[in-house]
Amino acid sequence: MAVDPQHSQFLTLCDQAARAAGEVLRRWEGKFKVREKGRADLVTEADLEAQKAIYDILMGPYPDFGFLGEEEGHSTRSPGDNPWHWIVDPLDGTTNYVHGLQNYCVSIALAEGDRIVAGVVYDPVFDRSYQAVTGGGAFMNGERLQASGAETLEQSLVAASFAPSVTRDSQEIDDFVNVMVRSQGIRRLGSAALNLAFVAAGQLDAYWAGDIKPWDIAAGVLLVEEAGGLVRNYGNVPIDWTRPQIVATATEPLQAEMQGILSPSY
């Protein structure tokens, strides 16, 4: 599949915006005030300033595109019938960030309707830019990425994300235990976008999230798919962007095994 040159141009712009936001986040480290969005769900001044930096870079040359951002104040709808829209998380891994843990990132994707055509996940701590464009493969700082090829949980290192409101008796806890006892290990790393980048890079073999937002995963989904993996909704069906409950795996057999364990009830 040939790469659309325009998509490559969009990817370059995504990378520029992600790096600008990363500079904001690094500059704010340790200097911000934290306020609550909800239990275990935090927002900072850094979050808001990073999104503004992204908005200004992306919307300047494309004012007619829509912009879906995690933080309030910048989200817009595409005018008329324009299907193009940016999907942005200026700081994925906010809780890590406010506690000084170095596992956070910027995630930017461009969608045409429901199809993601370009995406960047940028790790400003280690200056790693994970990039993908439809039909062009996935790369990290120019090095091609390839999903691991693991076909069973017994071979796999897996990551999971829980909803901020998870409770002791939640089905998510049962799922976590069921996957843990069948896999090589399980991790909660605190950033959905980086989890997906790690699946694309073959560092993780699978990742699931039962309660997630489009801006957390849009760029990462494209990374996994362009690295040879796959991402499906619970029930092993295509992603429902209105309610994404995702399972990302390196291979089809591993996807089937994960789908057989996880419960779609939450």
Side-chain angles (χ1 to χ4, degrees):
M1 180 179 178
V3 175
D4 186 324
Q6 188 181 36
H7 294 172
S8 296
Q9 293 173 6
F10 290 143
L11 184 67
T12 299
L13 191 63
C14 286
D15 185 60
Q16 178 187 347
R19 289 178 181 276
E23 289 180 7
V24 171
L25 298 178
R26 293 291 278 171
R27 187 171 67 248
W28 271 95
E29 281 183 350
K31 300 178 182 178
F32 49 80
K33 298 177 181 178
V34 178
R35 66 178 184 271
E36 294 284 345
K37 286 195 292 188
R39 188 177 71 83
D41 190 3
L42 307 170
V43 65
T44 68
E45 290 92 334
D47 227 334
L48 298 170
E49 186 179 328
Q51 182 159 298
K52 183 180 185 306
I54 293 168
Y55 184 91
D56 290 345
I57 289 172
L58 298 181
M59 297 298 286
Y62 297 103
D64 292 336
F65 283 19
F67 186 98
L68 176 62
E70 180 181 18
E71 304 307 333
E72 297 178 3
H74 295 106
S75 295
T76 63
R77 292 184 177 274
S78 302
D81 297 325
N82 190 339
W84 296 98
H85 56 283
W86 307 102
I87 306 174
V88 171
D89 191 341
L91 173 53
D92 187 52
T94 307
T95 302
N96 286 347
Y97 181 74
V98 300
H99 285 276
L101 294 178
Q102 296 182 329
N103 201 67
Y104 65 86
C105 66
V106 181
S107 177
I108 302 176
L110 178 65
E112 183 180 15
D114 289 335
R115 185 173 70 112
I116 309 299
V117 300
V120 169
V121 173
Y122 179 61
D123 177 346
V125 176
F126 297 101
D127 190 28
R128 293 171 180 159
S129 182
Y130 299 86
Q131 303 183 12
V133 65
T134 301
F139 296 84
M140 191 276 289
N141 291 357
E143 180 180 347
R144 182 177 285 274
L145 301 178
Q146 180 65 50
S148 71
E151 295 190 343
T152 67
L153 271 173
E154 188 178 17
Q155 300 172 297
S156 299
L157 181 63
V158 184
S161 291
F162 291 167
S165 59
V166 66
T167 61
R168 184 182 180 88
D169 59 353
S170 169
Q171 181 62 48
E172 291 177 271
I173 302 301
D174 288 342
D175 286 348
F176 185 90
V177 173
N178 290 335
V179 173
M180 179 178 64
V181 299
R182 301 183 195 195
S183 63
Q184 286 191 356
I186 194 164
R187 302 289 183 265
R188 287 192 65 201
L189 301 175
S191 168
L194 281 177
N195 286 339
L196 289 165
F198 296 156
V199 173
Q203 295 167 298
L204 292 172
D205 305 295
Y207 164 63
W208 89 92
D211 186 351
I212 205 75
K213 302 298 184 184
W215 47 77
D216 297 318
I217 62 170
V221 166
L222 185 61
L223 282 167
V224 172
E225 293 175 344
E226 288 295 326
L230 63 156
V231 187
R232 307 278 283 175
N233 246 54
Y234 282 25
N236 209 3
V237 297
I239 293 176
D240 177 1
W241 288 104
T242 66
R243 193 189 181 210
Q245 293 184 304
I246 65 161
V247 183
T249 59
T251 63
E252 285 275 9
L254 184 54
Q255 179 78 204
E257 186 175 0
M258 288 285 293
Q259 292 282 356
I261 294 172
L262 300 175
S263 169
S265 61
Y266 50 87

